Amino acid sequence: MKWNSADYMRGEREMELRKQAEELLRKLTLEEKIGMIHGAQLFQTAGVERLGIPPLKMSDGPMGVRQEFLPCGWQPVGRSDDYVTYLPCNSALASTWNRELAKETGRVLGEEARGRGKDVILGPGVNIKRSPLCGRNFEYFSEDPYLTKELAVPYIQGVQEWDVAACVKHFAANNQETERLWVDVEVDEQALREIYLPAFYDAVKKAGVHTIMGAYNLLKGEHCCQSEYLLNDILRKEWGYDSVVISDWGAVHDTEKAANSQLDIEMSVTDNFDEYFMANPLKEKIEKGEISEAVVDEKVTRILVLMMKLHMMDSSRKSGTYNTPEHRRKAMEVARESVVLLKNEENILPFSKEKVKKLLIVGENAECVHANGGGSAEIKALYEITPLMGVKTLLGGNAEVKFVPGYVRDEKKEESDMSWQESSLENGGGSAKEFAVNVEAEKKREELRNEAAELASRYEHVLFVGGLNHEYDSEGNDRVDMKLPYEQDKLIEELLAVNPNTVITFVGGSPVEMGSWLEKAKTVVWSWYAGMEGGNALAEVLFGAVTPSGKLPETFYKKHTDCSAHAIGEFPGGSKVHYAEGMFVGYRYNDTFQIEPEFCFGHGLSYTTFLYENPVLVQKNGLNYVECNVTNIGTTAGKETVQVYTASMEKKETEPVQELKGFEKTKLLLPGECQRVSVLVEGMIEKKNLRIGSSSRDIRFVIESR
């Protein structure tokens, strides 16, 4: 490894901080040290006041800093000072394919965490979307390791600019909620290294992430939070990570294994803090000579070094803030670029603000807020603009907007039900959630469908806003299939039957089946849980104030059995889950075995058209770049994302037909404007084709590298 002066200075600084930490360590009693390596409250460790060592304060993320809870119970404090900026979910951020927006999102989160007095924000989640049914997919970026790490690295860097530690999670192979505490993942070494670990590796080596959260599941027969293989062999020895590892809440199961592992802090969901595995049980074993005190010393040293890096014990720490107009503007920018135009036949969109005088909006998600659900990702948002509010605000009273729900949920949850976390370790920690048939709800939905269809037949402009909610996209739950809930398919078919120009729009965190009506629909728009400004951003796209530039960060399958985790692997498995698909995750499987998706990885339409020209492969400073001209040949300003996939000329059986290895988003190109785009291509390119395109299945040029 070649060191530069910056590496040397960083190494010198690390050595100096460790020396200071070791001097402070010698002044601590065993009891004080034990207090620093486990939760003393639900979200913080114990400090040592006599030595000026503060507690380490944490908060859930990454869509915003979570509300305050009582120190010893999952009851909200209930004050007004913990309302925050609600950021778009990681899936929405990934749809922007915009590294700079990822960094800006991290900066907002870091500044708000610091403003709320937090030291560690528990995000981002970088687990791979192995199956579309995983309940926490909305918290993760992508099915692709390259796209994930390219956005996670600047995100982490942005957070840590504010003297706050990002906590990349969940390390590792944590890809389902069903039996998440006990399921043992069996995955081959190549897939582990090339699919499930790259984002964690880059978080350590490129982003310099200060903390890592271990996962609930087992890998190779070991619980991840006390795994010799993961935490010692890979993380510490191979990657050289020397900072803090924090357990997921309730992921530790054995005092001796945890103490002798490379885990530094044990957290959990219960209030018996002194009984945690690394609390009094560990202290007693050390006093009996069964475990060496040296293992605790090393953990405490790393924690002290972290505190020094964050300036927690000096007067030079940055101060943050939250709920600023600038933060809301950044949330809006991400939301705008996250909207994905999936289909737009006959150029139904954009609507004309001047021509639309009467608009019918159908669908419960048009007026639903989503910030306050989803598990630990829930946010106490300062506000949340719904699609209905966004459209009405944009139209400004100059059009009649009528709303009807069209469908109703089977059951309503209490809006402020926060007690789920107290029982989150029961029944294996999660399951595939099935909803019982609700006869009353079905009868009500039939009435609502009839009402909506009758109205749609009389309106020229109809907008349907449906999709999912946090009954389906949620920690602790996996879906059983990709079907739209609440009989939305029936509603969509009836709307299209009476008004073929109905615009179909979805809000959600995971793909849904569309096959029963997609051929009849001319226009389909996908919006995620897009943060506090999501409704405004969607309205701007629908009415052409913003040209859509979002691209899918995951495959939208026709049905979940077209996904490799279900076709040749297992999901969710039993006591073990076998990743028999190996490297063939997401588009790698569909493209290699020619299984047609509904919408492919990287897909996203625009209101304008982009021409690719003059592609070349160039080398700069030993790195490979693909350069090409991208010209806006349409009539509307817009942005395009150039994607580069590599394909081996001598493909092996275990090798996907192509893999994403580079991308770059253009600036906003005016009609007729051209930009020379330069895309860094990762890895070796010898004997590979470089496939340049607008999506994984819209390849414009192929360059051979020999």
Side-chain angles (χ1 to χ4, degrees):
M1 178 178 175
K2 194 173 181 180
W3 278 47
N4 57 33
S5 59
D7 292 324
Y8 179 79
M9 294 297 291
R10 197 158 42 245
E12 288 281 293
R13 174 65 175 156
E14 292 280 343
M15 290 173 61
E16 178 60 31
L17 291 179
R18 186 171 178 91
K19 182 179 176 182
Q20 294 175 28
E22 288 171 346
E23 290 175 1
L24 194 52
L25 176 75
R26 287 191 282 270
K27 301 175 183 178
L28 292 166
T29 66
L30 174 60
E31 186 171 356
E32 288 169 337
K33 288 185 282 190
I34 290 289
M36 292 178 64
I37 65 170
H38 71 85
Q41 295 182 16
L42 293 175
F43 282 102
Q44 71 179 54
T45 59
V48 183
E49 190 174 354
R50 70 181 183 87
L51 295 175
I53 300 173
L56 197 65
K57 297 179 180 178
M58 312 172 207
S59 177
D60 278 315
M63 295 162 71
V65 188
R66 199 175 178 190
Q67 69 179 316
E68 297 294 335
F69 292 91
L70 297 177
C72 302
W74 292 100
Q75 292 78 43
V77 171
R79 295 193 302 263
S80 63
D81 60 347
D82 56 357
Y83 285 97
V84 294
T85 302
Y86 170 35
L87 293 163
C89 68
N90 278 351
S91 297
L93 179 57
S95 291
T96 72
W97 291 59
N98 189 321
R99 295 177 181 88
E100 184 55 38
L101 284 183
K103 191 159 196 174
E104 291 295 339
T105 299
R107 284 173 174 148
V108 170
L109 186 60
E111 187 174 10
E112 297 222 343
R114 186 77 288 278
R116 286 273 303 278
K118 307 303 179 184
D119 308 308
V120 180
I121 191 75
L122 304 174
V126 299
N127 295 106
I128 295 300
K129 299 186 183 188
R130 177 175 175 256
S131 161
L133 304 186
C134 175
R136 295 187 82 170
N137 274 354
F138 73 98
E139 294 186 56
Y140 306 142
F141 290 96
S142 175
E143 68 186 30
D144 182 75
Y146 179 79
L147 180 57
T148 297
K149 65 194 184 72
E150 287 298 298
L151 297 176
V153 166
Y155 186 107
I156 291 164
Q157 291 170 334
V159 168
Q160 295 188 168
E161 286 180 9
W162 286 95
D163 291 342
V164 170
C167 186
V168 68
K169 63 185 185 183
H170 308 86
F171 190 60
N174 182 235
N175 306 107
Q176 66 185 61
E177 293 301 283
T178 305
E179 289 292 324
R180 60 180 176 163
L181 294 175
W182 299 103
V183 68
D184 189 356
V185 172
E186 190 172 280
V187 57
D188 70 65
E189 192 72 9
Q190 183 187 12
L192 180 67
R193 297 287 184 157
E194 296 186 35
I195 301 293
Y196 300 102
L197 292 186
F200 290 103
Y201 177 84
D202 274 25
V204 170
K205 304 299 279 188
K206 291 185 178 179
V209 71
H210 289 322
T211 66
I212 292 176
M213 183 189 290
Y216 278 123
N217 55 284
L218 295 88
L219 179 67
K220 297 182 184 292
E222 295 181 302
H223 268 108
C224 291
C225 285
Q226 50 198 44
S227 168
E228 181 73 9
Y229 173 68
L230 262 185
L231 302 185
N232 188 46
D233 296 350
I234 293 179
L235 185 61
R236 299 293 189 196
K237 290 183 177 178
E238 188 179 323
W239 296 357
Y241 180 71
D242 59 1
S243 199
V244 173
V245 178
I246 302 169
S247 80
D248 206 338
W249 269 235
V252 174
H253 300 273
D254 183 276
T255 294
E256 188 169 341
K257 288 180 181 178
N260 288 320
S261 78
Q262 294 298 310
L263 178 73
D264 297 304
I265 298 173
E266 177 194 1
M267 302 298 292
S268 192
V269 301
T270 56
D271 61 2
N272 57 333
F273 307 112
D274 290 338
E275 297 172 27
Y276 285 10
F277 292 98
M278 294 212 311
N280 282 346
L282 174 55
K283 181 170 177 282
E284 291 168 8
K285 284 184 177 289
I286 290 173
E287 289 170 342
K288 291 177 182 177
E290 297 174 12
I291 295 176
S292 170
E293 188 172 345
V295 299
V296 174
D297 289 348
E298 182 58 30
K299 299 177 196 302
V300 172
T301 300
R302 285 194 286 255
I303 293 167
L304 289 170
V305 170
L306 171 65
M307 290 179 169
M308 292 172 186
K309 286 180 181 177
L310 300 180
H311 302 286
M312 291 174 62
M313 293 183 286
D314 62 45
S315 59
S316 64
R317 195 174 196 188
K318 291 179 181 177
S319 61
T321 187
Y322 53 109
N323 286 325
T324 66
E326 176 66 8
H327 292 176
R328 297 194 282 276
R329 187 175 69 81
K330 293 299 180 185
M332 180 65 157
E333 288 178 13
V334 175
R336 283 171 174 151
E337 292 198 22
S338 73
V339 178
V340 184
L341 181 61
L342 296 176
K343 187 177 181 181
N344 193 28
E345 293 178 356
E346 301 179 18
N347 294 321
I348 298 295
L349 289 181
F351 288 136
S352 168
K353 183 179 177 182
E354 290 71 34
K355 292 180 180 178
V356 173
K357 297 303 179 184
K358 291 177 66 179
L359 175 66
L360 175 66
I361 300 181
V362 181
E364 188 184 69
N365 259 356
E367 67 158 357
C368 278
V369 295
H370 299 281
N372 58 354
S376 58
E378 64 199 8
I379 299 300
K380 188 175 175 181
L382 182 65
Y383 63 83
E384 180 178 352
I385 304 297
T386 63
L388 178 62
M389 186 185 296
V391 168
K392 293 192 75 170
T393 301
L394 183 142
L395 289 174
N398 289 330
E400 174 198 314
V401 178
K402 183 172 181 61
F403 168 76
V404 291
Y407 66 90
V408 67
R409 302 186 195 191
D410 290 323
E411 55 191 66
K412 289 280 188 182
K413 283 189 175 181
E414 293 297 321
E415 286 189 9
S416 57
D417 178 15
M418 300 297 180
S419 63
W420 67 270
Q421 204 139 3
E422 296 174 18
S423 58
S424 63
L425 303 183
E426 298 174 3
N427 302 317
S431 63
K433 187 173 183 180
E434 295 197 52
F435 289 83
V437 174
N438 186 314
V439 177
E440 286 188 14
E442 287 185 346
K443 184 178 178 181
K444 179 65 175 176
R445 283 196 287 265
E446 184 177 10
E447 295 174 3
L448 293 173
R449 280 198 304 275
N450 291 338
E451 175 195 25
E454 196 279 325
L455 284 167
S457 68
R458 295 191 277 116
Y459 275 75
E460 180 183 358
H461 301 288
V462 179
L463 173 66
F464 171 77
V465 186
L468 301 174
N469 53 44
H470 287 308
E471 288 183 1
Y472 288 85
D473 289 315
S474 179
E475 179 177 0
N477 299 326
D478 292 323
R479 293 190 291 165
V480 296
D481 55 39
M482 283 173 48
K483 295 185 184 301
L484 276 166
Y486 319 128
E487 300 177 272
Q488 291 178 72
D489 286 322
K490 290 183 181 179
L491 173 59
I492 294 170
E493 290 190 57
E494 292 190 22
L495 292 174
L496 291 171
V498 298
N499 190 325
N501 291 335
T502 298
V503 172
I504 309 300
T505 304
F506 293 114
V507 174
S510 301
V512 297
E513 287 186 22
M514 304 181 192
S516 65
W517 49 262
L518 185 59
E519 286 189 6
K520 304 168 192 171
K522 297 176 183 177
T523 305
V524 183
V525 179
W526 188 270
S527 176
W528 307 88
Y529 303 119
M532 64 201 311
E533 290 287 347
N536 282 332
L538 178 60
E540 288 185 347
V541 168
L542 293 173
F543 283 85
V546 169
T547 297
S549 65
K551 301 278 189 177
L552 291 180
E554 61 192 280
T555 303
F556 272 34
Y557 306 96
K558 291 180 181 291
K559 53 188 182 300
H560 73 274
T561 50
D562 291 339
C563 166
S564 60
H566 301 270
I568 55 176
E570 294 175 355
F571 186 96
S575 58
K576 276 196 174 185
V577 58
H578 299 87
Y579 288 23
E581 70 278 5
M583 290 286 294
F584 298 105
V585 176
Y587 71 89
R588 287 169 169 79
Y589 171 69
N590 293 74
D591 291 353
T592 302
F593 297 100
Q594 299 178 359
I595 296 165
E596 194 70 22
E598 203 68 88
F599 296 102
C600 71
F601 177 82
H603 171 74
L605 303 177
S606 175
Y607 295 151
T608 191
T609 304
F610 298 97
L611 176 67
Y612 288 52
E613 293 179 301
N614 303 325
V616 295
L617 174 64
V618 298
Q619 283 196 331
K620 302 175 188 176
N621 301 318
L623 300 174
N624 296 301
Y625 292 82
V626 166
E627 294 184 351
C628 68
N629 290 342
V630 177
T631 305
N632 182 350
I633 59 172
T635 58
T636 304
K639 297 181 179 182
E640 170 68 333
T641 300
V642 178
Q643 303 165 37
V644 177
Y645 298 81
T646 61
S648 177
M649 298 178 192
E650 301 172 357
K651 194 179 88 66
K652 301 172 185 174
E653 259 188 43
T654 59
E655 194 174 9
V657 70
Q658 64 176 7
E659 297 181 284
L660 180 72
K661 291 297 179 182
F663 68 87
E664 201 66 46
K665 195 163 191 173
T666 69
K667 65 177 184 177
L668 184 69
L669 296 176
L670 300 176
E673 188 174 4
C674 175
Q675 180 180 339
R676 186 70 175 171
V677 177
S678 181
V679 182
L680 174 64
V681 182
E682 182 185 67
M684 306 293 289
I685 64 168
E686 286 76 12
K687 295 184 179 180
K688 289 188 177 180
N689 290 321
L690 303 178
R691 299 164 58 85
I692 307 155
S694 184
S695 78
S696 61
R697 296 201 170 201
D698 181 7
I699 301 300
R700 308 292 178 88
F701 295 102
V702 177
I703 298 176
E704 288 190 2
S705 173
R706 297 197 179 270

